[in-house]
Amino acid sequence: MKAVIMAGGKGTRLRPLTCNTPKPMVPLLDRPVMEYTIELLKKHGITDIAVTMQYLPEVIRNYFGDGSEYGVRLRYFEEDSPLGTAGSVKNAEMFLDETFIVISGDALTDFDLSAAIAYHRDRKALATLVLTHVESPLEYGVVMTDDSGKVIRFLEKPSWGEVFSDAVNTGIYILEKEVFELYGSGVEYDFSKDLFPLLMERGLPLYAYAAEGYWSDIGNLEQYRQTQIDMLDGIVQVRIAGTEVLPRVWVGEQADIAANIRFAAPAFIGRGAVLEDYADIGEYSVIGSGCLVKQQARTERAVLWSHASVGRRAEICGATLCRNASIESDAFVAEGAVIGDSSRVGSKSVVTPDVMVWPQKTIEPYAHVTDSIVWTRSRSKALFGQWGVKGTWGADLTTTFAARLALAYGSLLKIGCKVGLSHDATPTAALIAGAFASGLHASGIDTDGYGTATSSVARFACWDAGNVAGVHVRQCPLPEEDAFVIEFYDDRGLPVSKAVERKIENAYAQEDSRRVKHNQLGSGREVSGIAARYCERLLSRVDRSAICGRGYSIVLAYEYRNMRGIIPELLEALDCAVIHLNGHGVTREEVAQMVKLSRSDIGVLLDADGQNLTVVTEEGQIVDESVLSVLQIVLQLQQQEGELYVPVHVPGIVEGLGARYDRKVIRTKADRRSVMEGCQTDGFHPAFDGLYIFVHLLEQLAQQDCDLSELVGAIPSFSMMRRSVDCPWQDKGKVMRCLMEEIEGKRVELIDGIKVFHEGGWTLILPDSDEPVVQVYAHAVSRQKAEELAYMYMRKIEDYRRRQSVS
């Protein structure tokens, strides 16, 4: 059998480790990752190996040569341009004249490849994917199989709502040469995105094998360090190149170690390393070949690449020194920091946690380095949450961060294009928006400044002004008033897609933002009147005369600072008598009480950003959130034509309502973009625009000559319940897998999360994308039945978690 080692990865998330080193050549215990892959293949009798390369190919070729030193035969295939995973393997088609295995050269595993190959042959598969279980499947391909092991669903880099299992694709495949007949040469083609979906579509034998053992894709700096800790702890079965001179302390040949060294196991000392008197080698230290650790220096949980040096009394804890990097006397390098190839940290300097120093940089003596040199550090988690990029002011959200994020974002856009920019009325949001504008200008992007606005107005402005994109900064509601969100919109005012979010995150993490000439710098202009334009457009969409003729009395609570340029003019144009309540801290019960006391027609409480509203009937009854969502959909049915798109968690009665209007209802994902995309109309997005819903409710009341309580009463009876269950991030994938296994044979829907249908209702289990919780929605004909369904699945989730913790 032959093999293909995929060795073309740049390893951008590992920078600065990979600035001068391709990811397959990044060292683990002083040997390249790919060397362990070669040893694994040889262990299973596979010695004819093709190596596909693109990034810094000569580094790989020069190290491994023809493979004879490692007991294998290597043949190299280099790409002139990116061909995708399947395309690069196709490049080696002439070599692959029999069944072959594809394996990554930049991941570490001890899987039993022989067992996987036997499984493939036993199933007579055309292709077999090797799977493993991970805690957080978001960065991988989630795979579902039937009882025979045949793949029935494959999702590449899913959202939490699409995580139906914690079984993921490891990038190890066993393939028959006939797969090459399915796609052409010289074109970009991917296994996960193209070939495997094609096999499923044609019903060809695509199977998955769940492997036992260790697997790490070494996808980030934290995982890079953790992988070597796992190796020293014996969690992964690999050969450690050295002699175990003390329990769990390995030393390579020709290492020069002083007699009075203090060791704390486990530790690894590479070939030819020099450890001087009284050096303190703490636990999980990895000292590469030719390294020098001088007198009284200390290392702990540190990784030193070859020929790095640590000066007298210097200390490095939890950090990485790349090739030829040096730390001079009395310096300190803290947890998570990386010092790039041939960089130097001066004496008595301090490099604080997570700082990245790119190759060939110099830190002067006595420096206190709190930020990365030349480039910035990336956050340890994804930037984007449900609403955008969220952070706490003065901690992880600063003007410096905003400017650098904008610089990364602007680098993805065409020089000279125009982005709309707005903020709420808080001084902090305005400051963040100003810093963001500076970053955009520095990347060659122009801005239209709309000043104080709400998210709804900001989205409308993008559509109305023809901006290529929009950015809005706002404060989070209580109790998170110290947190702010930077929202990103596309040219239609929709939240940017997940693909764009990933591009922004990658641009920020890779820290190679565009720098433009002085005559290409962007500029900003202030644009006034957007709130008036929003009001004008909104009023043009309703029957103003019908509303004005009724003279409605309204109890209204809203954040005056954010909406002062909208609401007074809007209600004056509709001839409404308004009792204003101070919007800050007003409860919906207070609004309801005032409606009854004043005998008003309707009560409305808008959140600070005007996106969500609470409605109170003339009887002082607070309209349930799920009922209000159905009212919103009724408004859409009456105003829009064509298919009606509604999120997966909306009550089930909407299908019946759609039938009344001879409209087909299509369920979508529950994320903001999917919801808005399904209901957008001329720059408005009703599902997240409280004023839009409010004005159109008034129109319905006027046209139907009824009270709000009558309008609510006309909605068919249903019961909807939503509950949250605590679930740590690392348990979510396991919980969803256990659930899928238990409900096998039942009618389910997998649009977003897992929706299980029951007689007279359904239950939706949806992992939250922002919080360590799972949302449970239950829909039924009665409240009691909805409660039973919700609590039944809440108990299941808790039981799955307990079961996993015990195992």
Side-chain angles (χ1 to χ4, degrees):
M1 189 177 215
K2 294 182 177 180
V4 180
I5 295 178
M6 306 283 287
K10 292 183 178 180
T12 51
R13 289 184 296 164
L14 287 177
R15 290 182 180 177
L17 302 186
T18 52
C19 287
N20 302 320
T21 304
K23 188 180 175 187
M25 298 302 293
V26 167
L28 298 177
L29 301 191
D30 204 37
R31 293 197 292 152
V33 183
M34 184 172 149
E35 189 171 332
Y36 296 96
T37 303
I38 290 174
E39 287 187 353
L40 180 66
L41 290 170
K42 182 184 175 185
K43 175 182 176 181
H44 291 276
I46 303 170
T47 55
D48 286 325
I49 303 170
V51 181
T52 63
M53 307 180 298
Q54 185 185 17
Y55 178 63
L56 301 176
E58 289 307 311
V59 177
I60 298 173
R61 199 191 311 267
N62 291 342
Y63 185 91
F64 290 106
D66 63 3
S68 57
E69 184 180 341
Y70 304 91
V72 298
R73 293 176 293 277
L74 298 180
R75 184 169 173 182
Y76 298 97
F77 296 86
E78 187 176 341
E79 301 172 41
D80 295 326
S81 60
L83 294 175
T85 52
S88 65
V89 172
K90 178 82 169 181
N91 208 27
E93 180 177 4
M94 296 302 294
F95 173 79
L96 301 169
D97 53 1
E98 57 182 84
T99 304
F100 61 95
I101 185 169
V102 176
I103 190 167
S104 174
D106 54 20
L108 183 70
T109 183
D110 58 7
F111 288 162
D112 186 344
L113 302 182
S114 297
I117 293 166
Y119 176 93
H120 170 84
R121 287 172 169 160
D122 181 63
R123 297 299 192 280
K124 295 181 173 58
L126 184 61
T128 297
L129 288 68
V130 177
L131 310 182
T132 192
H133 297 287
V134 298
E135 292 181 346
S136 179
L138 296 187
E139 292 301 319
Y140 307 101
V142 174
V143 182
M144 290 174 54
T145 63
D146 61 17
D147 291 338
S148 70
K150 192 170 186 179
V151 176
I152 57 175
R153 191 175 178 90
F154 186 97
L155 285 169
E156 184 69 9
K157 294 187 177 179
S159 64
W160 272 117
E162 297 171 316
V163 172
F164 311 118
S165 173
D166 62 351
V168 301
N169 174 23
T170 63
I172 303 174
Y173 314 124
I174 304 156
L175 305 169
E176 298 298 322
K177 62 185 178 63
E178 285 76 16
V179 296
F180 291 131
E181 299 172 7
L182 299 174
Y183 62 103
S185 300
V187 296
E188 190 168 346
Y189 205 75
D190 193 78
F191 283 122
S192 300
K193 297 177 183 177
D194 302 308
L195 181 60
F196 297 150
L198 177 64
L199 294 180
M200 286 189 287
E201 180 184 330
R202 295 189 179 182
L204 296 172
L206 174 66
Y207 283 83
Y209 172 77
E212 298 292 333
Y214 182 90
W215 178 78
S216 171
D217 75 330
I218 316 176
N220 54 49
L221 294 167
E222 181 181 357
Q223 188 62 34
Y224 172 69
R225 290 186 291 270
Q226 183 61 48
T227 299
Q228 293 176 91
I229 290 172
D230 294 342
M231 295 170 76
L232 291 172
D233 281 339
I235 295 174
V236 53
Q237 301 304 308
V238 293
R239 179 178 67 89
I240 296 178
T243 301
E244 193 171 1
V245 297
L246 295 171
R248 299 173 67 208
V249 176
W250 290 267
V251 177
E253 296 177 356
Q254 301 176 14
D256 183 0
I257 301 177
N260 46 23
I261 299 296
R262 178 188 176 276
F263 282 108
F268 172 86
I269 312 300
R271 185 176 186 273
V274 177
L275 309 184
E276 293 186 350
D277 290 336
Y278 302 106
D280 185 350
I281 308 302
E283 63 178 2
Y284 298 107
S285 292
V286 177
I287 312 297
S289 59
C291 285
L292 172 62
V293 181
K294 294 188 176 182
Q295 296 175 14
Q296 301 179 38
R298 180 171 180 265
T299 66
E300 182 178 353
R301 304 177 75 90
V303 178
L304 276 61
W305 287 19
S306 62
H307 302 289
S309 65
V310 183
R312 294 183 180 184
R313 297 176 302 280
E315 187 172 351
I316 172 170
C317 296
T320 301
L321 302 189
C322 294
R323 194 174 296 106
N324 298 313
S326 62
I327 309 298
E328 297 187 353
S329 60
D330 298 296
F332 175 73
V333 182
E335 186 81 24
V338 175
I339 310 300
D341 293 344
S342 302
S343 286
R344 179 174 63 87
V345 177
S347 61
K348 298 188 178 180
S349 292
V350 174
V351 179
T352 57
D354 298 324
V355 164
M356 306 292 147
V357 179
W358 253 241
Q360 299 180 336
K361 302 297 180 289
T362 298
I363 296 174
E364 298 298 327
Y366 297 91
H368 188 83
V369 184
T370 59
D371 214 341
S372 298
I373 304 299
V374 180
W375 293 273
T376 66
R377 65 177 178 265
S378 60
R379 293 181 171 189
S380 59
K381 62 178 182 178
L383 293 177
F384 281 86
Q386 179 183 4
W387 297 96
V389 177
K390 177 181 173 183
T392 301
W393 171 249
D396 54 349
L397 181 54
T398 63
T399 53
T400 299
F401 168 75
R404 289 171 173 165
L405 177 62
L407 189 62
Y409 177 46
S411 300
L412 301 175
L413 304 175
K414 186 178 179 181
I415 291 177
C417 68
K418 191 166 291 185
V419 172
L421 194 60
S422 56
H423 53 82
D424 70 16
T426 62
T428 305
L431 192 64
I432 295 169
F436 202 95
S438 297
L440 289 177
H441 297 163
S443 64
I445 306 301
D446 295 331
T447 57
D448 278 345
Y450 297 115
T452 300
T454 63
S455 295
S456 304
V457 173
R459 293 192 297 264
F460 171 82
C462 281
W463 174 87
D464 185 63
N467 296 136
V468 299
V471 174
H472 180 69
V473 185
R474 63 176 176 85
Q475 185 180 32
C476 294
L478 293 170
E480 295 185 286
E481 65 268 28
D482 288 338
F484 290 78
V485 173
I486 304 174
E487 297 183 340
F488 291 76
Y489 310 130
D490 64 14
D491 58 344
R492 296 181 292 169
L494 295 172
V496 294
S497 67
K498 292 295 181 184
V500 173
E501 288 182 358
R502 289 183 186 276
K503 286 181 180 179
I504 297 171
E505 288 174 343
N506 288 338
Y508 181 84
Q510 292 170 18
E511 304 176 353
D512 53 1
S513 302
R514 177 174 66 208
R515 301 299 197 270
V516 299
K517 298 178 181 179
H518 69 89
N519 58 355
Q520 292 180 309
L521 292 173
S523 61
R525 66 166 185 166
E526 297 302 314
V527 179
S528 60
I530 191 62
R533 175 68 177 150
Y534 169 89
C535 290
E536 176 188 339
R537 188 75 179 182
L538 179 55
L539 290 170
S540 72
R541 298 182 58 82
V542 296
D543 185 350
R544 291 175 59 180
S545 60
I547 299 173
C548 291
R550 302 286 301 195
Y552 285 114
S553 59
I554 301 167
V555 174
L556 181 63
Y558 68 99
E559 179 62 68
Y560 177 75
R561 294 180 303 167
N562 290 340
M563 289 174 274
R564 61 186 177 187
I566 306 172
I567 288 183
E569 291 81 354
L570 196 64
L571 295 179
E572 182 180 354
L574 295 174
D575 196 24
C576 295
V578 182
I579 299 175
H580 290 283
L581 300 181
N582 182 3
H584 189 72
V586 173
T587 66
R588 60 183 194 167
E589 288 76 17
E590 289 171 334
V591 173
Q593 183 180 17
M594 181 57 69
V595 169
K596 291 180 69 175
L597 288 173
S598 63
R599 297 185 179 181
S600 296
D601 297 300
I602 186 172
V604 173
L605 171 63
L606 288 159
D607 69 2
D609 196 46
Q611 294 196 76
N612 302 299
L613 78 165
T614 299
V615 177
V616 178
T617 71
E618 77 286 352
E619 297 173 346
Q621 184 69 37
I622 299 170
V623 178
D624 184 80
E625 181 182 349
S626 58
V627 173
L628 187 59
S629 69
V630 174
L631 272 177
Q632 173 223 313
I633 290 168
V634 171
L635 295 177
Q636 288 178 242
L637 286 167
Q638 294 171 343
Q639 296 165 24
Q640 300 175 10
E641 297 180 354
E643 296 171 331
L644 179 69
Y645 293 84
V646 299
V648 66
H649 61 283
V650 165
I653 65 168
V654 298
E655 278 78 9
L657 293 172
R660 289 185 187 179
Y661 291 86
D662 195 25
R663 301 272 295 283
K664 182 180 180 181
V665 174
I666 299 175
R667 294 280 178 165
T668 71
K669 295 180 181 179
D671 64 275
R672 280 200 316 148
R673 179 179 172 86
S674 297
V675 174
M676 289 187 191
E677 196 168 21
C679 68
Q680 65 172 327
T681 172
D682 292 344
F684 296 99
H685 306 91
F688 290 92
D689 191 337
L691 281 178
Y692 182 98
I693 296 301
F694 170 46
V695 170
H696 283 81
L697 267 180
L698 291 180
E699 181 186 41
Q700 286 299 303
L701 296 177
Q703 290 180 341
Q704 296 187 29
D705 192 22
C706 67
D707 295 326
L708 180 56
S709 58
E710 296 176 82
L711 199 62
V712 171
I715 295 175
S717 177
F718 71 92
S719 286
M720 188 83 185
M721 182 158 294
R722 173 183 174 182
R723 293 290 184 267
S724 296
V725 186
D726 291 339
C727 185
W729 296 103
Q730 66 269 20
D731 289 347
K732 286 184 178 181
K734 300 172 187 176
V735 164
M736 300 302 275
R737 169 170 55 86
C738 290
L739 180 59
M740 286 298 297
E741 292 170 352
E742 183 169 324
I743 64 175
E744 184 177 0
K746 294 185 178 181
R747 182 189 167 200
V748 298
E749 187 177 76
L750 302 177
I751 295 172
D752 201 10
I754 301 173
K755 181 184 278 189
V756 187
F757 289 89
H758 313 278
E759 185 176 350
W762 48 256
T763 309
L764 172 67
I765 299 88
L766 184 62
D768 195 283
S769 59
D770 278 353
E771 302 293 336
V773 300
V774 173
Q775 305 291 352
V776 178
Y777 297 83
H779 176 264
V781 293
S782 69
R783 181 175 181 82
Q784 179 181 351
K785 182 63 176 177
E787 286 180 348
E788 290 175 0
L789 289 173
Y791 285 111
M792 178 177 70
Y793 281 93
M794 290 172 67
R795 287 193 299 271
K796 287 181 183 292
I797 293 169
E798 292 166 351
D799 180 55
Y800 298 149
R801 284 193 56 211
R802 282 194 297 269
R803 191 188 312 170
Q804 290 298 324
S805 62
V806 170
S807 62

